[in-house]
């Protein structure tokens, strides 16, 4: 038992064990040590002790994985692998955005969501939205309506198009990311940090390029995924920060080891267009299901089809891609729409056809 604790604690503390292979290695070592003891009739009670120690060890592995951010999309953790095998239940997923009014940009997002079988939760920011740095505050209020193990998926409200279903989102997310991590969208440019400034140089050092997709290396605030129980402490820390710059806050938190933040560097979930539109190309090898758009778009650098396309700073390109998606041919039922949430009061259901009456192709 003493040797068992030394092996498990030593490897977990040094961060050498955060994958299924590592966990299997510990279990095998444990089995070799305890098999001679358990084979003796007088040692049968030791079963309880061994099982207890094994449970504590595996819990330690997952805890240290979450605490120190030992998560990478290339080497998913044990939790991720168990989830992809169907051994961990899929959580309730809430797809959330923020809107002050139903503009054409918002209606494109809502229609693309409905075409892919997704009903949005829309946070009504009318009269309360005073800049992008208020988004996390509104999300924090919405979290009160969610259960601790619910998964929140946030996208910006006016320049995003969804091109894959909820099931496809879960398939990509569960196989590519640790469930105990908070996923942020990534983008090519440094955004508010002007090139050549000390802040930009620091940011470039803190976010080195990923060899598989070196251009997507900086935080983009238009896409966020996380369980309520992990998002709540992150957003509480966010509101304490002195700067009002949204990217600056989340960039600082992304390198803070207290929070399990990872960037979607491969653009598997979110593709941010700013300075990267030329890398978006039609994927002619995949035909969308019947009743969906006529083409899917992929990142030619990674050959992945993102769940959502974020046209940050690229409104004209959004219009071009929207027409190619041909969502106008996907009918919207009279009972379809989105859930509108006021900061105070109950939610209300809004019928899409009653709200979005404009021609979205113009």
């Amino acid at each position: 038992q003493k040797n068992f604790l030394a092996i498990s604690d030593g490897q977990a503390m040094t961060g050498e064990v955060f994958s299924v292979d590592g966990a299997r290695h510990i279990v095998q070592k444990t089995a070799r040590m305890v098999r001679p003891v358990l084979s003796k009739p007088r040692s049968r009670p030791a079963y309880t002790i061994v099982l207890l120690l094994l449970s504590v060890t595996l819990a330690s592995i997952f805890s240290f994985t979450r605490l120190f951010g030992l998560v990478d999309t290339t080497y998913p953790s044990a939790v991720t692998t168990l989830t992809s095998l169907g051994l961990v239940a899929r959580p309730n997923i809430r797809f959330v955005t923020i809107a002050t009014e139903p503009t054409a940009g918002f209606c494109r997002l809502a229609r693309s969501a409905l075409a892919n079988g997704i009903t949005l939760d829309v946070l009504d920011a009318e009269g309360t939205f005073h800049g992008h740095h208020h988004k996390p505050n509104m999300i924090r209020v919405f979290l009160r309506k969610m259960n601790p193990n619910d998964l929140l998926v946030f996208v910006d409200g006016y320049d995003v198009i969804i091109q894959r279903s909820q099931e496809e989102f879960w398939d990509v997310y569960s196989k590519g990311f640790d469930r105990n991590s908070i996923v942020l969208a990534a983008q090519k440019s440094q955004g508010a940090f002007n090139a050549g400034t000390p802040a930009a140089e620091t940011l470039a050092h803190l976010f080195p390029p990923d060899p598989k997709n070196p251009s997507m290396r900086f935080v983009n605030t238009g896409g966020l995924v996380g369980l309520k129980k992990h998002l709540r402490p992150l957003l509480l820390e966010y509101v304490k920060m002195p700067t009002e710059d949204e990217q600056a806050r989340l960039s600082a938190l992304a390198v803070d080891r207290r929070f399990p933040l990872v960037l979607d560097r491969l653009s598997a979930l979110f593709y941010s267009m700013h300075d990267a539109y030329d890398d978006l190309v039609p994927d002619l090898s995949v035909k969308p299901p019947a009743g969906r758009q006529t083409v899917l778009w992929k990142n030619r650098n990674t050959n992945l089809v993102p769940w959502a396309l974020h046209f940050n700073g690229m409104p004209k390109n959004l219009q071009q891609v929207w027409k190619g998606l041909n969502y106008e041919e996907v009918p919207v039922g009279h009972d379809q729409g989105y859930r509108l949430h006021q900061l105070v009061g109950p939610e209300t259901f809004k019928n899409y056809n009653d709200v979005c009456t404009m021609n979205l192709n113009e």
Side-chain angles (χ1 to χ4, degrees):
Q1 296 169 9
K2 182 177 179 181
N3 291 337
F4 169 71
L5 288 176
I7 291 174
S8 63
D9 287 350
Q11 290 184 329
M13 284 294 289
T14 58
E16 295 174 8
V17 178
F18 57 94
S19 65
V20 172
D21 291 337
R24 186 184 296 114
H25 180 65
I26 283 185
V27 172
Q28 291 172 346
K29 280 194 174 183
T30 303
R32 287 197 296 270
M33 287 188 292
V34 302
R35 189 178 293 115
V37 179
L38 296 182
S39 62
K40 300 178 181 179
R42 67 176 184 276
S43 301
R44 291 299 178 183
Y47 271 121
T48 303
I49 298 174
V50 171
L51 290 176
L52 177 61
L53 292 173
L54 184 59
S55 299
V56 171
T57 301
L58 292 176
S60 299
I61 295 170
F62 299 149
S63 295
F64 279 106
T65 298
R66 182 170 63 253
L67 179 61
F68 293 109
L70 299 175
V71 180
D72 187 274
T73 55
T74 307
Y75 305 101
S77 73
V79 175
T80 305
T81 303
L82 293 175
T83 302
S84 65
L85 292 174
L87 300 178
V88 177
R90 172 174 146 181
N92 180 40
I93 305 176
R94 305 294 293 267
F95 294 91
V96 179
T97 192
I98 295 174
T100 55
E101 56 182 322
T103 64
F106 166 77
C107 288
R108 291 188 188 97
L109 169 63
R111 183 150 193 161
S112 68
L114 291 174
N116 286 285
I118 295 171
T119 299
L120 292 173
D121 286 291
V122 181
L123 311 188
D124 186 358
E126 186 174 359
T128 62
F129 191 73
H130 304 289
H132 288 291
H133 61 282
H134 278 255
K135 287 193 301 186
N137 292 331
M138 298 190 68
I139 295 173
R140 189 163 60 92
V141 173
F142 179 76
L143 287 176
R144 299 171 186 169
K145 300 182 179 182
M146 296 173 55
N147 295 319
N149 290 313
D150 285 355
L151 187 71
L152 181 140
V153 181
F154 172 84
V155 293
D156 277 354
Y158 295 120
D159 55 0
V160 172
I161 297 174
I162 295 171
Q163 65 168 358
R164 306 187 72 179
S165 68
Q166 178 172 327
E167 291 72 23
E168 290 168 312
F169 167 86
W170 176 248
D171 183 62
V172 173
Y173 171 74
S174 62
K175 292 178 180 178
F177 299 91
D178 187 282
R179 192 172 163 184
N180 285 313
S181 64
I182 299 171
V183 182
L184 282 172
Q187 69 180 30
K188 185 175 182 178
S189 66
Q190 296 174 326
F193 302 95
N194 296 321
T197 64
E201 294 176 1
T202 300
L203 196 68
H205 174 72
L206 293 175
F207 295 94
D210 187 315
K212 292 188 176 181
N213 193 25
S215 64
M216 297 296 187
R217 55 187 290 197
F218 301 109
V219 171
N220 176 271
T221 59
L224 172 70
V225 183
L227 296 174
K228 172 186 175 178
K229 60 184 179 182
H230 299 319
L231 286 174
R232 191 169 181 274
L234 173 76
L235 297 179
L236 285 174
E237 186 67 23
Y238 177 95
V239 299
K240 299 176 184 177
M241 304 180 77
T243 177
E244 291 190 352
D245 186 272
E246 186 183 25
Q247 188 190 29
R249 292 191 192 194
L250 288 177
S251 295
L253 293 172
V255 296
D256 189 332
R257 287 296 187 179
R258 292 176 298 164
F259 304 105
L261 277 163
V262 296
L263 297 185
D264 181 18
R265 294 175 181 263
L266 300 182
S267 302
L269 297 175
F270 311 105
Y271 188 82
S272 303
M273 300 290 174
H274 189 60
D275 292 334
Y277 176 74
D278 291 340
D279 292 328
L280 184 71
V281 296
D283 188 352
L284 303 179
S285 65
V286 179
K287 290 185 178 181
R292 294 263 295 278
Q293 64 268 36
T294 56
V295 66
L296 293 174
W297 297 81
K298 70 178 181 179
N299 178 351
R300 67 179 179 181
N301 293 324
T302 63
N303 210 35
L304 296 177
V305 177
W307 173 74
L309 306 175
H310 182 197
F311 294 82
N312 48 326
M314 311 289 287
K316 293 183 179 180
N317 299 104
L318 185 154
Q319 187 72 356
Q320 294 171 2
V321 172
W322 173 262
K323 291 180 180 180
L325 290 172
N326 204 27
Y327 273 129
E328 295 291 329
E329 299 299 322
V330 182
V332 177
H334 293 292
D335 59 342
Q336 290 183 293
Y338 57 89
R339 292 181 290 265
L340 185 67
H341 300 265
Q342 307 283 346
L343 288 181
V344 179
E347 68 180 55
T348 56
F349 183 81
K350 295 292 184 179
N351 183 280
Y352 175 87
N353 291 316
D354 292 339
V355 175
C356 297
T357 58
M358 71 285 289
N359 184 350
L360 301 180
N361 283 328
E362 294 181 350

